[in-house]
Amino acid sequence: MIDPEIAAAMDFSVPPLTPDRIPWRRANGRVVTDADLSRGGAVVFSEEDADGVPVLVLRPAHGSLSAPLLHIHGGGMVAGTRRSDLQALSEWVAELGVTLVSPEYRLAPEHPHPAPVEDCYRTLTWMERTGFGTPIIAGTSAGGGLAAAVTLMARDQGGPAIRGQLLMCPMLDDRCETPSSHQFLEGTTWVRTSNLTGWTALLGEARGGPDVSPHAAPARAADLEGLPPTYLDVGSVDVFRDEVVTYASRIWQAGGDAELHVWPGGCHGFDQIAPAAALSHRARATRMAWLRRVLA
């Protein structure tokens, strides 16, 4: 059951994402304005080029800089821009002093795997080469999956170093076989049909088959050893719930450091849908506390 405060803010008239609705989804994304990003002058920002990948870079207007943060936007692998999700995340810049880099990765289905993850990894290597320092990598939904994939790529290729990964309702498993992936067919924000659409756009006929790379679907990784400290959260009413819980468990089983939160009554993206809800405040405060610890 969805938390009542969250449910009151939801638009239940929006149909699931299907291939023919991808253009609509792109055209109707949330608009993040310059004023949203600046948080009343507390944040300054610039458009830059990360070795061919357009990026938005946010910096605190005042005070000293702490470690950088690479943030990868959501959108089901098919939608979103480098400004997506940043209305809320500029709070991290203002309060923690991080420099936040958000790449405009190429979108499926026009640009299937490995284009999106390659753009994000290229941004990470650009950050290392240009002296940003060792980043935390974060992402929401598809961006959370890409953040996990980039972290695996960095481990597998010997760098760049990553301080930690923050995975918010991440999209991790193309097989879509968990109980929660079958449980939510309607009545929430991201349902099974939408999930299948996103993964098929990214992987085509390979989706669900034996040859999918963990750099496309991180749940496919044979082992999860050698990862940096990891924060994962997801709502209990989210198609991704069980794959996120499994990913955290596998990190623990590999001897890694993972902090997992399953928010009761949270649907997919609940804290962006109803930012004033009590559950959303708890989720954001808990993420912020983890970031402070990793930055300390």
Side-chain angles (χ1 to χ4, degrees):
M1 178 178 176
I2 297 174
D3 178 275
E5 279 191 288
I6 307 296
M10 293 173 62
D11 182 357
F12 291 97
S13 68
V14 177
L17 181 67
T18 50
D20 61 299
R21 289 187 57 79
I22 290 173
W24 182 92
R25 180 67 175 258
R26 291 174 178 173
N28 288 273
R30 184 177 302 169
V31 176
V32 177
T33 67
D34 288 358
D36 293 329
L37 294 178
S38 68
R39 296 185 69 86
V43 174
V44 295
F45 54 90
S46 59
E47 305 279 358
E48 302 185 28
D49 181 274
D51 295 334
V53 180
V55 297
L56 180 69
V57 181
L58 282 69
R59 298 177 174 90
H62 309 289
S64 60
L65 297 175
S66 61
L69 196 149
L70 170 59
H71 176 262
I72 304 174
H73 70 77
M77 302 292 182
V78 301
T81 75
R82 59 191 178 274
R83 288 192 171 216
S84 298
D85 312 326
L86 290 183
Q87 179 176 1
L89 299 186
S90 61
E91 174 185 26
W92 294 352
V93 180
E95 295 197 15
L96 300 176
V98 297
T99 297
L100 191 148
V101 177
S102 177
E104 184 101 352
Y105 60 86
R106 288 169 290 174
L107 299 173
E110 296 88 347
H111 303 283
H113 177 75
V117 73
E118 285 183 343
D119 288 350
C120 298
Y121 185 73
R122 186 179 302 120
T123 303
L124 177 67
T125 60
W126 171 80
M127 291 174 69
E128 180 187 53
R129 182 174 56 79
T130 52
F132 276 83
T134 304
I136 296 170
I137 184 166
T140 302
S141 191
L146 287 166
V150 169
T151 301
L152 289 171
M153 288 181 72
R155 180 199 66 177
D156 296 343
Q157 299 182 26
I162 295 172
R163 182 182 298 256
Q165 57 175 344
L166 193 161
L167 312 178
M168 297 168 282
C169 54
M171 184 175 176
L172 299 169
D173 196 341
D174 68 294
R175 292 165 292 194
C176 305
E177 294 174 349
T178 66
S180 63
S181 76
H182 288 276
Q183 183 176 4
F184 302 111
L185 306 180
E186 60 184 3
T188 186
T189 46
W190 186 257
V191 296
R192 181 173 177 81
T193 295
S194 305
N195 202 32
L196 291 171
T197 297
W199 278 118
T200 303
L202 183 72
L203 297 172
E205 294 183 357
R207 188 207 67 76
D211 300 320
V212 172
S213 167
H215 299 162
R220 298 292 197 122
D223 71 80
L224 296 178
E225 295 181 355
L227 299 180
T230 301
Y231 180 101
L232 308 97
D233 73 357
V234 68
S236 65
V237 191
D238 192 326
V239 71
F240 296 143
R241 181 194 63 214
D242 295 340
E243 64 199 64
V244 173
V245 172
T246 299
Y247 202 75
S249 296
R250 292 185 59 212
I251 292 174
W252 293 323
Q253 291 159 12
D257 175 357
E259 178 174 332
L260 170 66
H261 295 271
V262 180
W263 298 108
C267 64
H268 189 69
F270 66 89
D271 57 306
Q272 296 184 34
I273 295 166
L279 188 67
S280 301
H281 281 292
R282 287 172 55 202
R284 291 199 304 274
T286 307
R287 292 175 198 141
M288 187 75 79
W290 182 86
L291 283 168
R292 291 186 191 279
R293 290 197 300 273
V294 175
L295 291 169

